[in-house]
Amino acid sequence: MKLHLILVGLLSLISFALAWTKEDYEIFDLVSAIESTEGKGTTFYSWLEISPKATVPDINKAYRKKSMQLHPDKNPGVKGINERYARLGVVAAILRDGERRERYDFFFKNGVPKWRGTGYYYSRYRPGLGSVVVFLVMLSSGLQLVVQKMNYKKDLERIDRFRSKARQAAWGPRMIPQPGAKKVRVSLSNSMEDEDGPAARFVDMLVEGEHVYLLGDEEPVLLDSNVATMPTIGNTWAINLIKALVQKALPKSNSPSEATAAGQAQPAEAANSTEDDTDAGDGTDAGGSSAPSGYKVGSASSISKVAGRRRKVAPKKK
């Protein structure tokens, strides 16, 4: 509902912005300029010291009086006097013209809009190509980050739903925890009707205590919030492009000293890997979390399937 209201508001704002004409833009500029030089709240009528219902003769009389006060010959050395004098002539011309005065009276009664359309601001400020590119990159990256957050929230909801399904299948409707590990088959469908259909998909899961593991072709993967990809600015296309360009620009060093150091490090890595294999055989990974009974902890190449999506588990740093 809120989204609909926002869209309606934006469409209304766009329709108003598209309705402004070139003459309206001229009035906007005059109003801003007069308020900056003559004082905030100054209008065409108050500047000429006439009533909003003044006739054309009254406007001409007020213009002659004001033009004598602001004439550049009578104000030598006054900063901006030429612009003020020229502006006075334009204001008087607008008030003498019935159609243009009617447009000004509309803004005089209802106020000048704060948002005057992209065409107005573009014609006044005319951003360069670099500014436009930076704006588009920031806008697209921000939108991508918003999409990432939405997908992350949906992934967490899927994970919670699958964990609940697996526990219910393993513990029963009363959800009473059972000792030991139990393998169950869980549907990836969102409703009971889809589960009975021919296109229903199922995955094998293992429930052991409070932990739920996803079973696949390789090692079991612990199903928790870490499976979902967190939204970060580093995962946006702009940052990834910068990283790729930097990596491509950096030279690949193959110096003999680095090769020697790499050769010396291989025996140490082999010894560490042997110790890690021994620890994995005991059912405990490097982080201290226990693996399900009868299974080894997932390796760096473990891939999990969650709601039809394939996720690659990142290798743990040693």
Side-chain angles (χ1 to χ4, degrees):
M1 186 65 182
K2 291 182 178 180
L3 181 60
H4 292 167
L5 293 176
I6 293 174
L7 290 176
V8 171
L10 288 175
L11 291 176
S12 302
L13 188 63
I14 292 173
S15 63
F16 279 120
L18 293 176
W20 307 142
T21 62
K22 183 180 179 181
E23 290 74 16
D24 295 335
Y25 289 159
E26 183 183 22
I27 293 174
F28 298 157
D29 288 336
L30 283 173
V31 170
S32 301
I34 290 173
E35 287 190 346
S36 64
T37 57
E38 311 303 328
K40 190 170 181 61
T42 303
T43 65
F44 291 6
Y45 297 112
S46 63
W47 194 26
L48 289 173
E49 299 178 357
I50 58 176
S51 169
K53 297 181 180 180
T55 61
V56 174
D58 295 334
I59 296 171
N60 292 332
K61 183 179 179 181
Y63 169 70
R64 286 193 296 268
K65 179 182 176 180
K66 196 71 175 179
S67 63
M68 292 180 64
Q69 296 175 2
L70 296 179
H71 200 282
D73 294 341
K74 291 188 176 183
N75 298 275
V78 178
K79 184 178 181 181
I81 193 63
N82 292 322
E83 291 78 5
R84 293 174 64 191
Y85 183 77
R87 199 174 295 131
L88 178 65
V90 178
V91 169
I94 291 175
L95 296 181
R96 291 192 194 104
D97 188 303
E99 185 177 352
R100 296 167 71 188
R101 181 177 181 177
E102 184 180 355
R103 291 300 299 170
Y104 172 74
D105 288 341
F106 173 81
F107 299 118
F108 174 74
K109 295 176 182 178
N110 299 283
V112 176
K114 294 183 178 180
W115 175 253
R116 302 169 186 178
T118 55
Y120 173 82
Y121 294 106
Y122 180 80
S123 62
R124 267 73 183 163
Y125 302 107
R126 292 190 182 277
L129 179 61
S131 302
V132 173
V133 171
V134 171
F135 172 74
L136 292 177
V137 169
M138 294 178 63
L139 178 63
S140 59
S141 299
L143 292 176
Q144 186 180 5
L145 188 61
V146 171
V147 173
Q148 287 181 7
K149 290 183 179 181
M150 295 172 61
N151 290 335
Y152 179 69
K153 184 177 179 181
K154 292 181 180 179
D155 288 345
L156 292 180
E157 292 175 354
R158 291 192 189 98
I159 291 172
D160 290 339
R161 184 170 67 250
F162 296 146
R163 285 164 58 91
S164 299
K165 284 185 176 181
R167 288 171 179 170
Q168 186 175 10
W171 298 343
R174 296 185 178 181
M175 299 291 287
I176 300 176
Q178 302 294 328
K182 186 173 182 179
K183 182 179 179 181
V184 295
R185 192 169 177 81
V186 178
S187 171
L188 297 178
S189 303
N190 296 330
S191 62
M192 296 294 295
E193 297 178 357
D194 296 337
E195 292 181 3
D196 299 332
R201 293 181 298 169
F202 293 86
V203 293
D204 294 328
M205 293 187 181
L206 187 72
V207 180
E208 186 176 32
E210 293 296 327
H211 298 296
V212 177
Y213 297 88
L214 187 65
L215 303 180
D217 298 335
E218 301 181 7
E219 299 83 355
V221 178
L222 180 63
L223 191 62
D224 57 7
S225 59
N226 294 327
V227 176
T229 304
M230 292 189 63
T232 59
I233 192 67
N235 286 336
T236 56
W237 72 269
I239 302 300
N240 288 331
L241 178 62
I242 294 174
K243 291 179 180 178
L245 293 176
V246 170
Q247 292 177 358
K248 189 175 182 180
L250 291 177
K252 296 181 180 180
S253 58
N254 295 321
S255 60
S257 58
E258 291 183 356
T260 305
Q264 294 176 354
Q266 288 179 357
E269 292 179 356
N272 292 334
S273 62
T274 304
E275 294 178 0
D276 293 341
D277 292 341
T278 304
D279 294 340
D282 295 337
T284 305
D285 61 3
S289 59
S290 58
S293 303
Y295 294 93
K296 292 184 179 181
V297 177
S299 63
S301 61
S302 301
I303 297 178
S304 60
K305 290 184 179 179
V306 180
R309 302 171 60 185
R310 298 179 65 85
R311 300 185 178 277
K312 194 169 184 178
V313 178
K316 296 185 178 180
K317 298 182 179 179
K318 299 179 181 179

